[in-house]
Coordinates of all heavy atoms in Angstrom, one line a residue:
M17 N 0.8 -1.2 0.0 CA 0.0 0.0 0.0 C 0.9 1.2 0.0 O 1.9 1.3 0.7 CB -0.9 0.0 1.2 CG -1.7 1.2 1.4 SD -3.3 1.0 0.5 CE -4.0 2.5 0.7
I18 N 0.5 2.2 -0.8 CA 1.3 3.4 -0.9 C 0.8 4.3 0.2 O -0.4 4.5 0.4 CB 1.0 4.1 -2.2 CG1 1.5 3.2 -3.4 CG2 1.7 5.5 -2.3 CD1 1.2 3.7 -4.7
S19 N 1.8 4.9 1.0 CA 1.4 5.8 2.0 C 1.2 7.2 1.5 O 1.9 7.6 0.6 CB 2.5 5.8 3.1 OG 3.7 6.2 2.6
P20 N 0.2 7.9 2.0 CA -0.1 9.2 1.4 C 1.1 10.2 1.7 O 1.7 10.1 2.8 CB -1.3 9.6 2.1 CG -1.7 8.6 3.0 CD -0.7 7.5 2.9
R21 N 1.3 11.1 0.8 CA 2.3 12.2 1.1 C 1.6 13.3 1.9 O 0.4 13.2 2.1 CB 2.7 12.8 -0.3 CG 3.5 11.8 -1.1 CD 3.9 12.5 -2.4 NE 4.3 11.5 -3.3 CZ 4.0 11.4 -4.6 NH1 3.2 12.3 -5.1 NH2 4.4 10.4 -5.4
A22 N 2.4 14.2 2.3 CA 1.8 15.3 3.2 C 0.7 16.0 2.4 O 0.9 16.4 1.3 CB 2.9 16.2 3.6
G23 N -0.4 16.1 3.0 CA -1.5 16.9 2.5 C -2.4 16.1 1.5 O -3.4 16.6 1.0
E24 N -2.0 14.8 1.3 CA -2.9 14.0 0.4 C -3.7 13.0 1.2 O -3.4 12.6 2.3 CB -2.0 13.1 -0.5 CG -1.3 13.9 -1.6 CD -0.5 13.0 -2.5 OE1 -0.2 11.9 -2.2 OE2 -0.1 13.5 -3.6
T25 N -4.9 12.7 0.7 CA -5.8 11.8 1.3 C -5.9 10.6 0.3 O -5.6 10.7 -0.9 CB -7.1 12.4 1.5 OG1 -7.7 12.7 0.3 CG2 -7.0 13.6 2.4
P26 N -6.4 9.5 0.7 CA -6.6 8.3 -0.2 C -7.5 8.7 -1.3 O -7.4 8.0 -2.4 CB -7.2 7.2 0.7 CG -6.6 7.6 2.1 CD -6.6 9.1 2.1
A27 N -8.4 9.6 -1.2 CA -9.3 10.0 -2.3 C -8.5 10.7 -3.4 O -9.0 10.8 -4.5 CB -10.3 11.0 -1.7
D28 N -7.3 11.1 -3.2 CA -6.5 11.7 -4.2 C -5.9 10.7 -5.2 O -5.4 11.1 -6.3 CB -5.3 12.6 -3.6 CG -5.9 13.8 -2.8 OD1 -6.9 14.3 -3.2 OD2 -5.2 14.2 -1.9
Y29 N -5.9 9.4 -4.8 CA -5.3 8.4 -5.7 C -6.3 7.9 -6.7 O -7.5 7.9 -6.4 CB -4.8 7.2 -4.8 CG -3.6 7.6 -3.9 CD1 -3.8 7.8 -2.6 CD2 -2.4 7.8 -4.5 CE1 -2.7 8.1 -1.8 CE2 -1.3 8.2 -3.7 CZ -1.5 8.3 -2.4 OH -0.4 8.7 -1.6
P30 N -5.8 7.4 -7.8 CA -6.8 6.9 -8.8 C -7.4 5.6 -8.4 O -6.8 4.8 -7.6 CB -5.9 6.6 -10.1 CG -4.5 6.5 -9.5 CD -4.5 7.4 -8.3
S31 N -8.6 5.4 -8.9 CA -9.4 4.1 -8.5 C -8.8 3.0 -9.3 O -8.0 3.2 -10.3 CB -10.8 4.3 -8.8 OG -11.0 4.4 -10.2
A32 N -9.2 1.8 -8.9 CA -8.7 0.6 -9.6 C -9.2 0.6 -11.1 O -8.4 0.1 -12.0 CB -9.2 -0.7 -8.9
E33 N -10.3 1.1 -11.4 CA -10.8 1.1 -12.7 C -10.0 2.1 -13.6 O -9.7 1.8 -14.7 CB -12.3 1.6 -12.8 CG -13.3 0.5 -12.2 CD -13.4 0.6 -10.7 OE1 -13.0 1.6 -10.1 OE2 -13.8 -0.4 -10.1
E34 N -9.6 3.2 -13.0 CA -8.8 4.2 -13.7 C -7.4 3.6 -14.0 O -6.9 3.8 -15.1 CB -8.6 5.5 -12.9 CG -9.9 6.3 -12.8 CD -9.8 7.4 -11.8 OE1 -9.0 7.4 -10.8 OE2 -10.5 8.4 -12.0
V35 N -6.8 2.9 -13.1 CA -5.5 2.3 -13.3 C -5.6 1.2 -14.4 O -4.8 1.1 -15.2 CB -5.0 1.7 -11.9 CG1 -3.8 0.8 -12.2 CG2 -4.7 2.8 -10.9
L36 N -6.7 0.4 -14.3 CA -6.9 -0.6 -15.4 C -7.0 0.0 -16.7 O -6.4 -0.5 -17.7 CB -8.1 -1.5 -15.0 CG -8.4 -2.6 -16.1 CD1 -7.3 -3.6 -16.2 CD2 -9.7 -3.3 -15.7
A37 N -7.8 1.1 -16.8 CA -8.0 1.8 -18.1 C -6.7 2.3 -18.6 O -6.3 2.2 -19.8 CB -9.0 2.9 -18.0
M38 N -5.9 2.9 -17.7 CA -4.6 3.5 -18.2 C -3.6 2.4 -18.6 O -2.9 2.5 -19.6 CB -4.0 4.3 -17.0 CG -2.7 5.0 -17.4 SD -2.7 6.0 -18.8 CE -3.7 7.4 -18.2
R39 N -3.6 1.3 -17.9 CA -2.7 0.2 -18.2 C -3.1 -0.4 -19.6 O -2.2 -0.7 -20.4 CB -2.8 -0.9 -17.1 CG -1.9 -2.1 -17.4 CD -2.0 -3.0 -16.2 NE -1.3 -4.2 -16.4 CZ 0.0 -4.4 -16.2 NH1 0.7 -3.4 -15.7 NH2 0.6 -5.6 -16.4
T40 N -4.4 -0.5 -19.8 CA -4.9 -1.0 -21.1 C -4.5 -0.1 -22.2 O -4.0 -0.5 -23.3 CB -6.4 -1.2 -21.1 OG1 -6.7 -2.1 -20.0 CG2 -6.9 -1.8 -22.4
L41 N -4.6 1.2 -22.0 CA -4.2 2.2 -23.0 C -2.7 2.2 -23.3 O -2.3 2.3 -24.4 CB -4.7 3.6 -22.6 CG -6.2 3.9 -22.7 CD1 -6.5 5.3 -22.2 CD2 -6.7 3.7 -24.1
L42 N -1.9 2.0 -22.2 CA -0.5 1.9 -22.4 C -0.1 0.7 -23.2 O 0.8 0.7 -24.0 CB 0.2 1.9 -21.0 CG 0.2 3.3 -20.3 CD1 0.8 3.1 -18.9 CD2 1.0 4.3 -21.1
F43 N -0.7 -0.5 -22.9 CA -0.5 -1.7 -23.7 C -0.9 -1.5 -25.1 O -0.1 -1.9 -26.0 CB -1.2 -2.9 -23.1 CG -0.4 -3.7 -22.2 CD1 -0.2 -3.5 -20.9 CD2 0.4 -4.8 -22.8 CE1 0.6 -4.3 -20.1 CE2 1.2 -5.6 -22.0 CZ 1.3 -5.3 -20.7
L44 N -2.0 -0.9 -25.4 CA -2.4 -0.6 -26.8 C -1.4 0.3 -27.5 O -1.1 0.0 -28.6 CB -3.8 0.0 -26.8 CG -5.0 -0.9 -26.9 CD1 -6.3 -0.2 -26.8 CD2 -4.9 -1.7 -28.1
A45 N -1.0 1.4 -26.8 CA 0.0 2.3 -27.4 C 1.3 1.6 -27.7 O 1.9 1.7 -28.8 CB 0.2 3.5 -26.5
T46 N 1.7 0.7 -26.8 CA 2.9 -0.1 -27.0 C 2.8 -1.0 -28.2 O 3.7 -1.1 -29.1 CB 3.3 -0.9 -25.8 OG1 3.5 0.0 -24.7 CG2 4.6 -1.7 -26.0
G47 N 1.6 -1.6 -28.3 CA 1.3 -2.5 -29.5 C 1.4 -1.8 -30.8 O 1.9 -2.3 -31.8
F48 N 0.7 -0.6 -30.8 CA 0.7 0.2 -32.1 C 2.2 0.6 -32.4 O 2.5 0.6 -33.6 CB -0.2 1.3 -32.0 CG -1.6 0.9 -32.1 CD1 -2.6 1.3 -31.1 CD2 -2.1 0.2 -33.1 CE1 -3.9 1.0 -31.2 CE2 -3.4 -0.2 -33.2 CZ -4.3 0.2 -32.3
L49 N 2.9 1.0 -31.4 CA 4.3 1.4 -31.7 C 5.1 0.2 -32.2 O 5.9 0.4 -33.2 CB 5.0 2.0 -30.4 CG 4.5 3.4 -30.0 CD1 5.1 3.7 -28.7 CD2 4.9 4.4 -31.1
L50 N 5.0 -0.9 -31.6 CA 5.7 -2.1 -32.1 C 5.2 -2.5 -33.5 O 6.0 -3.0 -34.4 CB 5.5 -3.3 -31.1 CG 6.3 -3.2 -29.9 CD1 6.0 -4.3 -28.9 CD2 7.8 -3.1 -30.1
A51 N 3.9 -2.4 -33.8 CA 3.4 -2.7 -35.1 C 4.0 -1.7 -36.1 O 4.4 -2.1 -37.3 CB 1.9 -2.6 -35.1
G52 N 4.1 -0.4 -35.8 CA 4.7 0.6 -36.7 C 6.2 0.2 -36.9 O 6.7 0.4 -38.0
L53 N 6.9 -0.2 -35.9 CA 8.3 -0.6 -36.0 C 8.4 -1.8 -36.9 O 9.3 -1.9 -37.8 CB 8.9 -0.9 -34.6 CG 10.3 -1.4 -34.6 CD1 11.2 -0.3 -35.1 CD2 10.7 -1.8 -33.2
C54 N 7.4 -2.7 -36.8 CA 7.4 -3.9 -37.7 C 7.3 -3.4 -39.2 O 8.0 -3.9 -40.1 CB 6.3 -4.8 -37.3 SG 6.0 -6.2 -38.4
R55 N 6.3 -2.5 -39.4 CA 6.1 -2.0 -40.8 C 7.4 -1.3 -41.3 O 7.7 -1.4 -42.5 CB 4.9 -1.1 -40.8 CG 3.7 -1.7 -40.3 CD 2.6 -2.0 -41.2 NE 2.4 -1.1 -42.3 CZ 1.9 -1.6 -43.4 NH1 1.6 -2.9 -43.5 NH2 1.7 -0.8 -44.4
L56 N 8.1 -0.5 -40.4 CA 9.3 0.1 -40.8 C 10.4 -0.9 -41.1 O 11.1 -0.7 -42.1 CB 9.8 1.0 -39.7 CG 11.1 1.8 -39.9 CD1 10.9 2.8 -41.1 CD2 11.5 2.5 -38.7
L57 N 10.5 -2.0 -40.3 CA 11.5 -3.0 -40.6 C 11.2 -3.7 -42.0 O 12.1 -4.0 -42.7 CB 11.5 -4.1 -39.5 CG 12.2 -3.6 -38.2 CD1 12.0 -4.7 -37.1 CD2 13.6 -3.4 -38.5
V58 N 9.9 -3.8 -42.3 CA 9.6 -4.4 -43.6 C 10.0 -3.5 -44.7 O 10.7 -4.0 -45.7 CB 8.0 -4.6 -43.7 CG1 7.6 -4.9 -45.1 CG2 7.6 -5.8 -42.8
R59 N 9.8 -2.2 -44.6 CA 10.2 -1.3 -45.6 C 11.7 -1.3 -45.8 O 12.3 -1.2 -46.9 CB 9.7 0.1 -45.4 CG 8.3 0.2 -45.7 CD 7.8 1.7 -45.6 NE 6.5 1.8 -46.2 CZ 6.1 2.9 -46.7 NH1 6.9 4.0 -46.7 NH2 4.9 2.9 -47.3
L60 N 12.4 -1.3 -44.6 CA 13.9 -1.2 -44.7 C 14.5 -2.5 -45.2 O 15.6 -2.4 -45.9 CB 14.5 -0.9 -43.3 CG 14.1 0.5 -42.8 CD1 14.7 0.7 -41.3 CD2 14.7 1.6 -43.7
S61 N 13.9 -3.6 -44.9 CA 14.6 -4.9 -45.3 C 14.0 -5.4 -46.6 O 14.6 -6.4 -47.1 CB 14.3 -5.9 -44.2 OG 13.0 -6.2 -44.1
L62 N 13.1 -4.7 -47.2 CA 12.5 -5.2 -48.5 C 13.5 -5.3 -49.6 O 13.5 -6.4 -50.3 CB 11.3 -4.4 -48.9 CG 10.4 -4.9 -50.0 CD1 9.9 -6.3 -49.7 CD2 9.3 -3.9 -50.3
P63 N 14.4 -4.4 -49.8 CA 15.3 -4.5 -50.9 C 16.3 -5.7 -50.7 O 16.8 -6.3 -51.7 CB 16.1 -3.2 -51.0 CG 15.3 -2.2 -50.2 CD 14.5 -3.0 -49.2
V64 N 16.6 -6.0 -49.5 CA 17.6 -7.0 -49.2 C 16.9 -8.4 -49.0 O 17.5 -9.4 -49.4 CB 18.4 -6.7 -47.9 CG1 19.4 -7.7 -47.5 CG2 19.0 -5.3 -48.0
Y65 N 15.7 -8.4 -48.5 CA 15.0 -9.6 -48.1 C 13.6 -9.5 -48.6 O 12.7 -9.1 -47.9 CB 15.1 -9.9 -46.6 CG 14.6 -11.2 -46.2 CD1 15.3 -12.4 -46.6 CD2 13.5 -11.3 -45.4 CE1 14.8 -13.6 -46.2 CE2 13.0 -12.6 -45.0 CZ 13.7 -13.7 -45.4 OH 13.3 -14.9 -45.0
P66 N 13.3 -9.9 -49.9 CA 12.0 -9.8 -50.5 C 10.8 -10.4 -49.7 O 9.7 -9.9 -49.8 CB 12.1 -10.3 -51.9 CG 13.6 -10.2 -52.2 CD 14.3 -10.4 -50.9
P67 N 11.0 -11.6 -49.0 CA 9.9 -12.2 -48.3 C 9.5 -11.5 -47.0 O 8.6 -11.9 -46.3 CB 10.3 -13.6 -48.0 CG 11.6 -13.8 -48.7 CD 12.1 -12.5 -49.1
A68 N 10.2 -10.3 -46.7 CA 9.9 -9.6 -45.4 C 8.5 -9.3 -45.2 O 8.0 -9.4 -44.1 CB 10.8 -8.4 -45.3
P69 N 7.7 -8.8 -46.2 CA 6.3 -8.4 -45.9 C 5.4 -9.6 -45.4 O 4.4 -9.4 -44.8 CB 5.8 -7.9 -47.3 CG 7.0 -7.5 -48.0 CD 8.1 -8.4 -47.6
G70 N 5.8 -10.8 -45.7 CA 5.1 -11.9 -45.2 C 5.5 -12.5 -43.9 O 4.8 -13.1 -43.1
I71 N 6.8 -12.2 -43.5 CA 7.4 -12.8 -42.3 C 7.3 -11.9 -41.1 O 7.0 -12.3 -40.0 CB 8.9 -13.2 -42.6 CG1 8.8 -14.4 -43.6 CG2 9.6 -13.6 -41.4 CD1 10.2 -14.9 -44.1
F72 N 7.7 -10.6 -41.3 CA 7.7 -9.7 -40.1 C 6.4 -9.6 -39.4 O 6.3 -9.6 -38.2 CB 8.3 -8.4 -40.5 CG 9.8 -8.3 -40.5 CD1 10.4 -8.0 -41.7 CD2 10.5 -8.5 -39.4 CE1 11.8 -8.0 -41.7 CE2 11.9 -8.4 -39.4 CZ 12.5 -8.2 -40.6
P73 N 5.3 -9.4 -40.1 CA 4.0 -9.3 -39.4 C 3.6 -10.6 -38.7 O 3.0 -10.5 -37.6 CB 3.0 -9.0 -40.6 CG 3.8 -8.4 -41.6 CD 5.1 -9.1 -41.6
I74 N 4.0 -11.7 -39.2 CA 3.7 -13.0 -38.5 C 4.5 -13.1 -37.2 O 4.0 -13.4 -36.1 CB 3.9 -14.2 -39.4 CG1 2.9 -14.2 -40.5 CG2 3.9 -15.5 -38.6 CD1 3.1 -15.2 -41.6
L75 N 5.8 -12.7 -37.3 CA 6.7 -12.7 -36.1 C 6.2 -11.7 -35.1 O 6.1 -12.0 -33.9 CB 8.1 -12.3 -36.5 CG 8.9 -13.4 -37.3 CD1 10.2 -12.9 -37.7 CD2 9.0 -14.7 -36.5
F76 N 5.7 -10.5 -35.6 CA 5.1 -9.5 -34.6 C 3.9 -10.1 -34.0 O 3.7 -10.0 -32.7 CB 4.7 -8.2 -35.4 CG 3.9 -7.4 -34.5 CD1 4.4 -6.6 -33.5 CD2 2.5 -7.3 -34.7 CE1 3.6 -5.8 -32.7 CE2 1.7 -6.5 -33.9 CZ 2.3 -5.8 -32.9
S77 N 3.0 -10.8 -34.7 CA 1.8 -11.4 -34.2 C 2.1 -12.4 -33.1 O 1.5 -12.4 -32.0 CB 1.0 -12.0 -35.3 OG 0.6 -11.1 -36.2
V78 N 3.1 -13.2 -33.3 CA 3.5 -14.2 -32.3 C 4.1 -13.5 -31.0 O 3.7 -13.9 -29.9 CB 4.5 -15.2 -32.9 CG1 5.1 -16.1 -31.8 CG2 3.8 -16.0 -34.0
L79 N 4.9 -12.5 -31.3 CA 5.5 -11.8 -30.1 C 4.4 -11.1 -29.4 O 4.4 -11.1 -28.1 CB 6.6 -10.8 -30.6 CG 7.1 -9.8 -29.6 CD1 8.0 -10.6 -28.6 CD2 7.9 -8.7 -30.3
W80 N 3.5 -10.4 -30.1 CA 2.5 -9.6 -29.4 C 1.5 -10.5 -28.6 O 1.0 -10.2 -27.6 CB 1.8 -8.7 -30.4 CG 0.9 -7.7 -29.6 CD1 -0.4 -7.6 -29.7 CD2 1.3 -6.7 -28.7 NE1 -0.9 -6.6 -28.9 CE2 0.2 -6.1 -28.3 CE3 2.6 -6.4 -28.2 CZ2 0.2 -5.0 -27.3 CZ3 2.6 -5.4 -27.2 CH2 1.5 -4.7 -26.8
F81 N 1.2 -11.7 -29.2 CA 0.4 -12.7 -28.5 C 1.0 -13.1 -27.2 O 0.3 -13.1 -26.2 CB 0.2 -13.9 -29.4 CG -0.7 -15.0 -28.7 CD1 -2.1 -14.9 -28.8 CD2 -0.1 -16.0 -28.0 CE1 -2.9 -15.8 -28.1 CE2 -0.9 -17.0 -27.4 CZ -2.3 -16.8 -27.4
G82 N 2.3 -13.3 -27.2 CA 3.0 -13.7 -26.0 C 2.9 -12.6 -24.9 O 2.7 -12.8 -23.7
L83 N 3.1 -11.3 -25.4 CA 3.1 -10.2 -24.4 C 1.7 -10.0 -23.9 O 1.5 -9.7 -22.7 CB 3.6 -8.9 -25.1 CG 5.1 -8.9 -25.3 CD1 5.5 -7.7 -26.2 CD2 5.9 -9.0 -24.1
A84 N 0.7 -10.1 -24.8 CA -0.7 -9.9 -24.3 C -1.1 -11.0 -23.4 O -1.9 -10.8 -22.4 CB -1.6 -9.8 -25.5
A85 N -0.7 -12.2 -23.7 CA -1.0 -13.4 -22.8 C -0.3 -13.3 -21.5 O -1.0 -13.6 -20.5 CB -0.6 -14.7 -23.5
A86 N 0.9 -12.8 -21.5 CA 1.6 -12.5 -20.2 C 0.8 -11.5 -19.4 O 0.7 -11.7 -18.1 CB 3.0 -12.1 -20.4
N87 N 0.3 -10.5 -20.0 CA -0.5 -9.5 -19.3 C -1.7 -10.1 -18.7 O -2.1 -9.8 -17.6 CB -0.8 -8.3 -20.2 CG -1.7 -7.3 -19.6 OD1 -1.3 -6.7 -18.6 ND2 -2.9 -7.0 -20.1
M88 N -2.4 -11.0 -19.5 CA -3.6 -11.6 -19.0 C -3.3 -12.5 -17.8 O -4.0 -12.6 -16.8 CB -4.2 -12.4 -20.1 CG -5.5 -13.2 -19.7 SD -6.2 -14.0 -21.2 CE -7.3 -15.1 -20.4
I89 N -2.2 -13.3 -17.9 CA -1.8 -14.2 -16.8 C -1.5 -13.4 -15.6 O -1.9 -13.8 -14.5 CB -0.6 -15.0 -17.3 CG1 -1.0 -16.0 -18.3 CG2 0.0 -15.7 -16.1 CD1 0.1 -16.8 -19.0
L90 N -0.8 -12.2 -15.7 CA -0.6 -11.4 -14.5 C -1.9 -10.9 -13.9 O -2.0 -10.8 -12.7 CB 0.4 -10.3 -14.9 CG 1.8 -10.7 -15.1 CD1 2.6 -9.5 -15.6 CD2 2.4 -11.2 -13.8
G91 N -2.8 -10.5 -14.8 CA -4.1 -10.0 -14.3 C -4.9 -11.1 -13.6 O -5.5 -10.8 -12.6
V92 N -4.7 -12.3 -14.0 CA -5.4 -13.4 -13.3 C -4.7 -13.8 -12.0 O -5.3 -14.0 -11.0 CB -5.6 -14.6 -14.2 CG1 -6.1 -15.9 -13.5 CG2 -6.5 -14.3 -15.4
T93 N -3.4 -13.9 -12.1 CA -2.6 -14.4 -10.9 C -2.4 -13.4 -9.9 O -2.5 -13.6 -8.7 CB -1.3 -15.1 -11.3 OG1 -0.5 -14.1 -12.0 CG2 -1.5 -16.3 -12.2
R94 N -2.0 -12.2 -10.3 CA -1.6 -11.1 -9.3 C -2.8 -10.2 -9.0 O -2.9 -9.8 -7.8 CB -0.5 -10.3 -9.9 CG 0.8 -11.1 -10.1 CD 1.9 -10.6 -9.3 NE 3.1 -11.4 -9.4 CZ 4.2 -11.1 -9.8 NH1 4.4 -9.8 -10.2 NH2 5.2 -11.9 -9.8
A95 N -3.6 -9.8 -9.9 CA -4.6 -8.8 -9.7 C -5.9 -9.5 -9.2 O -6.8 -8.8 -8.7 CB -4.9 -8.0 -10.9
G96 N -6.0 -10.8 -9.4 CA -7.2 -11.5 -8.9 C -8.4 -11.5 -9.8 O -9.5 -11.9 -9.3
Y97 N -8.2 -11.1 -11.0 CA -9.3 -11.2 -12.0 C -9.5 -12.6 -12.4 O -8.6 -13.4 -12.5 CB -9.1 -10.3 -13.2 CG -9.0 -8.8 -12.8 CD1 -7.9 -8.1 -12.9 CD2 -10.2 -8.1 -12.4 CE1 -7.8 -6.8 -12.6 CE2 -10.1 -6.8 -12.1 CZ -8.9 -6.1 -12.2 OH -8.9 -4.8 -11.9
S98 N -10.7 -13.0 -12.9 CA -11.0 -14.3 -13.4 C -10.6 -14.3 -14.9 O -10.4 -13.2 -15.5 CB -12.4 -14.7 -13.3 OG -13.2 -13.9 -14.2
V99 N -10.4 -15.4 -15.5 CA -10.1 -15.5 -16.9 C -11.1 -14.9 -17.8 O -10.8 -14.2 -18.7 CB -9.8 -17.0 -17.3 CG1 -9.6 -17.1 -18.8 CG2 -8.6 -17.6 -16.5
L100 N -12.4 -15.1 -17.4 CA -13.5 -14.5 -18.2 C -13.5 -12.9 -18.1 O -14.0 -12.3 -19.0 CB -14.8 -15.0 -17.7 CG -15.1 -16.5 -18.1 CD1 -16.4 -17.0 -17.6 CD2 -15.1 -16.6 -19.6
E101 N -13.0 -12.4 -16.9 CA -12.9 -11.0 -16.8 C -11.8 -10.4 -17.6 O -11.8 -9.3 -18.2 CB -12.7 -10.5 -15.4 CG -14.0 -10.7 -14.5 CD -13.7 -10.4 -13.0 OE1 -12.6 -10.9 -12.5 OE2 -14.5 -9.8 -12.4
E102 N -10.7 -11.2 -17.7 CA -9.5 -10.7 -18.4 C -9.6 -11.0 -19.9 O -8.8 -10.3 -20.7 CB -8.3 -11.4 -17.9 CG -7.7 -10.8 -16.6 CD -7.0 -9.4 -16.9 OE1 -6.3 -9.3 -17.9 OE2 -7.3 -8.5 -16.1
L103 N -10.4 -11.9 -20.4 CA -10.4 -12.3 -21.8 C -10.8 -11.1 -22.7 O -10.1 -10.9 -23.7 CB -11.4 -13.4 -22.0 CG -11.4 -14.0 -23.4 CD1 -10.0 -14.5 -23.8 CD2 -12.4 -15.1 -23.5
P104 N -11.8 -10.3 -22.4 CA -12.1 -9.1 -23.3 C -10.9 -8.1 -23.3 O -10.7 -7.5 -24.4 CB -13.3 -8.5 -22.6 CG -13.9 -9.5 -21.8 CD -12.8 -10.4 -21.3
I105 N -10.3 -7.9 -22.2 CA -9.1 -7.0 -22.2 C -8.0 -7.6 -23.0 O -7.3 -6.9 -23.8 CB -8.6 -6.8 -20.7 CG1 -9.7 -6.3 -19.8 CG2 -7.4 -5.9 -20.7 CD1 -10.3 -5.0 -20.2
F106 N -7.8 -8.9 -23.0 CA -6.8 -9.6 -23.8 C -7.1 -9.4 -25.3 O -6.2 -9.0 -26.1 CB -6.7 -11.1 -23.5 CG -5.9 -11.9 -24.5 CD1 -4.5 -11.9 -24.5 CD2 -6.6 -12.6 -25.5 CE1 -3.8 -12.6 -25.4 CE2 -5.8 -13.3 -26.4 CZ -4.5 -13.3 -26.4
L107 N -8.3 -9.6 -25.7 CA -8.7 -9.4 -27.1 C -8.6 -7.9 -27.5 O -8.1 -7.7 -28.6 CB -10.2 -9.9 -27.3 CG -10.4 -11.4 -27.0 CD1 -11.9 -11.7 -27.1 CD2 -9.6 -12.2 -28.0
L108 N -8.9 -7.0 -26.6 CA -8.8 -5.6 -26.9 C -7.3 -5.2 -27.1 O -7.0 -4.4 -28.0 CB -9.4 -4.8 -25.8 CG -9.3 -3.2 -26.0 CD1 -10.1 -2.8 -27.2 CD2 -9.7 -2.5 -24.7
I109 N -6.4 -5.8 -26.3 CA -5.0 -5.5 -26.4 C -4.4 -6.2 -27.6 O -3.5 -5.6 -28.2 CB -4.3 -5.9 -25.1 CG1 -4.7 -4.9 -24.0 CG2 -2.8 -6.0 -25.2 CD1 -4.2 -5.3 -22.6
F110 N -4.8 -7.4 -27.9 CA -4.1 -8.2 -28.9 C -4.5 -7.8 -30.3 O -3.6 -7.6 -31.2 CB -4.4 -9.7 -28.7 CG -3.8 -10.6 -29.7 CD1 -2.5 -10.8 -29.9 CD2 -4.7 -11.3 -30.6 CE1 -2.0 -11.6 -30.8 CE2 -4.2 -12.1 -31.6 CZ -2.8 -12.2 -31.7
F111 N -5.8 -7.8 -30.6 CA -6.2 -7.7 -32.0 C -5.9 -6.3 -32.7 O -5.5 -6.4 -33.9 CB -7.7 -8.0 -32.2 CG -7.9 -9.5 -32.2 CD1 -8.5 -10.2 -31.2 CD2 -7.4 -10.3 -33.3 CE1 -8.7 -11.5 -31.2 CE2 -7.5 -11.7 -33.3 CZ -8.2 -12.3 -32.3
P112 N -6.2 -5.2 -32.2 CA -5.9 -4.0 -33.0 C -4.5 -3.8 -33.5 O -4.3 -3.5 -34.7 CB -6.3 -2.8 -32.0 CG -7.3 -3.4 -31.1 CD -6.9 -4.8 -30.9
P113 N -3.5 -4.0 -32.6 CA -2.1 -3.9 -33.2 C -1.8 -5.0 -34.2 O -1.1 -4.7 -35.2 CB -1.2 -4.0 -31.9 CG -2.0 -3.6 -30.8 CD -3.4 -4.1 -31.2
V114 N -2.3 -6.2 -34.0 CA -2.0 -7.2 -35.0 C -2.7 -6.9 -36.3 O -2.1 -7.1 -37.4 CB -2.5 -8.6 -34.4 CG1 -2.6 -9.7 -35.5 CG2 -1.6 -9.0 -33.3
L115 N -3.9 -6.4 -36.3 CA -4.6 -6.0 -37.5 C -3.8 -4.9 -38.3 O -3.7 -4.9 -39.5 CB -6.0 -5.5 -37.2 CG -7.0 -6.6 -36.8 CD1 -8.3 -6.1 -36.4 CD2 -7.1 -7.7 -37.8
V116 N -3.2 -3.9 -37.5 CA -2.4 -2.9 -38.1 C -1.1 -3.5 -38.7 O -0.7 -3.1 -39.8 CB -2.0 -1.8 -37.1 CG1 -0.9 -0.9 -37.6 CG2 -3.2 -1.0 -36.7
A117 N -0.5 -4.5 -38.0 CA 0.7 -5.1 -38.6 C 0.4 -5.9 -39.8 O 1.2 -6.0 -40.7 CB 1.3 -6.0 -37.5
L118 N -0.8 -6.6 -39.8 CA -1.1 -7.4 -41.0 C -1.7 -6.7 -42.1 O -1.8 -7.2 -43.3 CB -2.0 -8.5 -40.5 CG -1.5 -9.6 -39.6 CD1 -2.5 -10.5 -39.1 CD2 -0.3 -10.3 -40.2
W119 N -2.2 -5.4 -41.9 CA -2.8 -4.6 -42.9 C -1.9 -4.3 -44.0 O -0.8 -3.8 -43.8 CB -3.4 -3.4 -42.3 CG -4.0 -2.4 -43.2 CD1 -5.1 -2.7 -44.0 CD2 -3.7 -1.1 -43.5 NE1 -5.4 -1.6 -44.8 CE2 -4.5 -0.6 -44.5 CE3 -2.7 -0.3 -43.0 CZ2 -4.5 0.7 -44.9 CZ3 -2.6 1.0 -43.5 CH2 -3.5 1.5 -44.4
R120 N -2.2 -4.7 -45.2 CA -1.4 -4.5 -46.4 C 0.0 -5.0 -46.2 O 1.0 -4.4 -46.7 CB -1.4 -3.0 -46.8 CG -2.7 -2.5 -47.2 CD -2.7 -1.0 -47.5 NE -1.5 -0.7 -48.3 CZ -1.5 0.2 -49.2 NH1 -2.6 0.8 -49.5 NH2 -0.4 0.4 -49.9
S121 N 0.2 -6.1 -45.5 CA 1.5 -6.6 -45.3 C 2.1 -7.3 -46.5 O 3.3 -7.6 -46.6 CB 1.5 -7.6 -44.1 OG 0.7 -8.7 -44.4
D122 N 1.2 -7.6 -47.5 CA 1.7 -8.3 -48.7 C 2.2 -7.3 -49.8 O 2.7 -7.7 -50.8 CB 0.6 -9.1 -49.3 CG -0.7 -8.3 -49.7 OD1 -0.8 -7.2 -49.1 OD2 -1.5 -8.8 -50.4
K123 N 2.1 -6.0 -49.5 CA 2.6 -5.0 -50.5 C 3.9 -4.4 -50.2 O 4.4 -4.4 -49.1 CB 1.6 -3.9 -50.7 CG 0.3 -4.5 -51.3 CD -0.7 -3.4 -51.5 CE -1.9 -4.0 -52.1 NZ -2.9 -3.0 -52.4

């Protein structure tokens, strides 16, 4: 438990829902940044390695699945949420960045 600083009350701290929403947004932002990095790697490596548009998005999808699954496992084991409570969050974190990475990956 975090002890309050001088002049602060427990009401000054964010609620559990606010923390969960911020954590989800941070994971989404990280996923989009990594998907963008994947697209950049495809563009940079295309002249040297022509199959890159088909391989990098798949590698990103596998990596992002692992990170999103680890987040879900931590939510279940440490935060005390059930798998059914964490599953929508997992899907929200996993699918949008993967769709961005796979979007037009063949070109």
